[in-house]
Every structure is written in structure tokens, then in C-alpha cells.
Amino acid sequence: MLLLRRKTTHASSMTAALLCFLLAGPVLLVAAGPARDSNNGTVPLVLWHGMGDSCCNPLSMGSIKKMIEEDISGIYVLSLMIGKNVIQDTENGFFMDVNEQVSMVCSQLAQDPKLKGGYNAMGFSQGGQFLRAVAQRCPSPPMKTLISIGGQHQGVYGLPRCPGESSHICDMIRKALNSGAYTDLVQKHLVQAQYWHDPLNDDLYKKHSLFLADINQERTVNETYKKNLQLLEKFVMVKFLQDTVVDPVDTEWFGFLKTGQAKETETLQESVLYKEDRLGLAAMEKAGKLTFLSTPGDHLQFTREWFNENLLPYLR
């Protein structure tokens, strides 16, 4: 069985390799594959990478894109580049306001004629919640199926192991989050702060979170968000059972820590978000639109066999 490489390069060795590739190798500018026949019966696919990765890294997203194109003949795959080149794309995964990124992607998708009939979306790690924001905010062109692979839909409370364990970027992120995740400066300039969810400071989170609190209807119920998300035909969430990167791992299935403490977790179905159906997830589950998948292994570690058996059917 083929073990696929990490897609968001959370291990320090992968990060080092990626940085060497970015600095020493040629910049890859093409994120999408060649034009395809829009009448070939396939549904286009949009990919959004995770923290520390880029649209076109041949060791991660490039390999995923190629694999899907090999398995689904004629499919149009757009791997999102946030910025003008691979270096900007990687940096923006750490430092560009998420709301700006989502707005940028919405504009790009709306201008792509190959997507006008609708598309499926697959997000890796933080790309999962970013694509959900696209579904909630930008219903045209229509997203049909959203597949979140290790996404953090209720945010994170801890970075047990982020890219480059000894890197200054990782250390800086930890210090910034620990000292003031909800300050204006950190919120506006650190991506991970925008989905930092502190259960011990719930009021601060709800008031100052620029991204997550908004898309999760923490301050008020935006009926448009709720309506748009329910337009999805399927919302698939993948959890990694031995995940050492995402804390708590329950967030990959939309669960999280119970408010007011940092030990006990609750499932999506036990949450206020679900019980009050503030986002339409209860209605979606009742309609059979939610799918919860799990796989052994660490963050974004899976085999091609597992991918083909469990995820490829949603793309055909």
C-alpha cells in the first residue's frame, strides 16, 4: 500500500524540504490542469492546501492533483494558489487575513468558466474550514460536495506540533497565540489566530475572533450562511485517529472542548451549535448530507488505497 506524503507538510523534515525547494528550485505558477471538455461528465474539483504547503508542491498537493487526474479521466482540477507564486502562497497560509483569502478565492471561482455549472471542493487541514467559508459566503458557482480532510471546524486550542518544530516561525506562532490571540494585531496578521478557539475565554473568542466566530455563527445567526451551507449535497469530514498536530482532534468532526474548561470534549451533536441548529448542520444530518469518516494515522497520513476507496466515490 502506498503511503501518501503529508499534504500540509507538518513535519519539520517536510517543511525543510519544502523551503529548500521554494528557495532553490524554479517557481511553479500553474495551479490548474489543462482545459477539459465541460461536457465530459465529470464534476470539476477545487483543492485548498493546508498550513505550510502550497498549491503546486510536487511532493504534496501536486501529487494529489496528479493522482486524481489519473483516476478520473478528463476531470478539471484547480489547486488554489493564494498569491502570485508558490512562495507567496506558502507565506499567506501563515500571515494573510483569512477573510481576504476567502474573498479572493470566491472571486477566482466566479471568474472561472469551467466552474459555472458547479464543482466539488476538497480542503486539507485549515483548507477545510476555509472552503466551508466559501460555501457559506459564495454560493455561485455552486459547491456540490465539500470534503474536509483533517479540517478544524471548531478551531484549535493548542499547537502540539506545527510545521518546523525548531523553526522561528513555529515559535513565533506559539508565542503570539499564548500572549494575545485575540488582540487586533495578532488576529489580523496571523492565520492560525483566526481559528484559535479558547474555551477558557469564550467571551473574548466570540467578540474578537475575526474568522471562526463569524462562520460558526457565534455572535449572531446569519441566515444566508445557514441557507448556503445547506445547499451542499454532501459535507464529508475526515478525522485522523492518531493526529498529533490538531488539538483537540474532535474539531475534525466539528466537535470541541466543552466551554469553561480544557479537558472534556463534546461531539458536534452535543454542542449548542447543533442543538440550536445555528448553522443548519442538524438539518443536514437529518437529510443524510453529513458523512463522518476516520482513518488510522497522524495528520494527513493516508494511503492511496484508502483515498480511492473512501473519497474518490464522492468525486465521480
Side-chain angles (χ1 to χ4, degrees):
M1 294 183 1
L2 172 66
L3 182 63
L4 296 181
R5 298 177 185 273
R6 294 173 190 256
K7 311 308 173 297
T8 52
T9 60
H10 282 280
S12 57
S13 58
M14 180 62 76
T15 302
L18 174 59
L19 288 175
C20 288
F21 171 78
L22 292 174
L23 295 174
V27 176
L28 303 180
L29 297 178
V30 181
R36 304 291 187 184
D37 181 357
S38 60
N39 298 315
N40 67 4
T42 64
V43 178
L45 175 65
V46 174
L47 306 176
W48 198 331
H49 62 79
M51 175 176 71
D53 204 356
S54 71
C55 64
C56 316
N57 180 6
L59 299 178
S60 56
M61 296 306 296
S63 130
I64 286 289
K65 179 175 178 291
K66 181 180 179 182
M67 180 182 76
I68 294 169
E69 290 171 337
E70 289 174 350
D71 290 331
I72 304 178
S73 179
I75 190 172
Y76 171 64
V77 182
L78 172 66
S79 187
L80 293 167
M81 178 187 288
I82 312 301
K84 296 180 179 179
N85 54 53
V86 174
I87 296 176
Q88 283 188 11
D89 188 22
T90 305
E91 292 175 345
N92 287 338
F94 290 106
F95 304 120
M96 183 179 181
D97 185 288
V98 180
N99 293 309
E100 290 183 23
Q101 293 189 48
V102 170
S103 179
M104 198 186 216
V105 167
C106 287
S107 177
Q108 181 180 355
L109 300 184
Q111 294 173 32
D112 191 332
K114 301 181 188 71
L115 304 179
K116 63 182 181 180
Y119 64 96
N120 294 324
M122 180 178 289
F124 294 81
S125 199
Q126 67 183 21
Q129 60 263 35
F130 297 173
L131 279 170
R132 175 165 63 86
V134 171
Q136 292 175 209
R137 294 175 179 176
C138 308
S140 181
M143 186 185 296
K144 296 177 178 293
T145 292
L146 171 59
I147 301 175
S148 169
I149 304 177
Q152 302 100 42
H153 293 280
Q154 276 286 13
V156 297
Y157 185 56
L159 285 172
R161 189 164 61 83
C162 65
E165 191 62 43
S166 61
S167 75
H168 68 281
I169 293 179
C170 192
D171 291 339
M172 183 192 70
I173 290 173
R174 281 202 181 93
K175 289 177 182 177
L177 292 174
N178 288 332
S179 63
Y182 300 120
T183 62
D184 287 342
L185 181 65
V186 175
Q187 277 290 306
K188 290 177 181 177
H189 298 287
L190 184 59
V191 165
Q192 290 68 40
Q194 292 181 42
Y195 56 86
W196 183 258
H197 187 169
D198 186 344
L200 303 178
N201 291 284
D202 196 52
D203 290 341
L204 278 178
Y205 156 67
K206 289 179 178 179
K207 184 177 181 180
H208 296 290
S209 172
L210 294 180
F211 174 71
L212 189 69
D214 176 65
I215 65 166
N216 281 4
Q217 311 274 49
E218 297 283 15
R219 291 185 279 266
T220 184
V221 174
N222 182 325
E223 292 295 339
T224 299
Y225 283 4
K226 186 174 179 179
K227 176 184 176 182
N228 288 344
L229 189 63
Q230 291 181 86
L231 293 175
L232 288 174
E233 296 172 8
K234 281 287 184 181
F235 180 11
V236 181
M237 288 170 268
V238 178
K239 178 199 285 189
F240 293 88
L241 298 179
Q242 280 79 47
D243 202 316
T244 63
V245 174
V246 174
D247 186 16
V249 70
D250 308 72
T251 188
E252 296 177 355
W253 276 2
F254 234 121
F256 202 64
L257 295 160
K258 294 180 179 179
T259 301
Q261 51 83 59
K263 291 184 179 180
E264 293 184 41
T265 60
E266 63 183 10
T267 65
L268 165 64
Q269 292 75 10
E270 294 169 333
S271 69
V272 172
L273 177 70
Y274 186 92
K275 290 178 179 178
E276 295 182 358
D277 208 13
R278 298 173 69 86
L279 199 50
L281 292 168
M284 290 178 72
E285 184 164 43
K286 187 176 181 180
K289 292 186 174 184
L290 299 187
T291 299
F292 301 90
L293 301 178
S294 64
T295 181
D298 205 347
H299 194 57
L300 302 187
Q301 293 284 300
F302 51 87
T303 65
R304 181 168 184 168
E305 180 184 46
W306 182 90
F307 184 94
N308 289 349
E309 181 180 342
N310 293 278
L311 300 183
L312 213 58
Y314 293 103
L315 305 180
R316 294 189 183 281

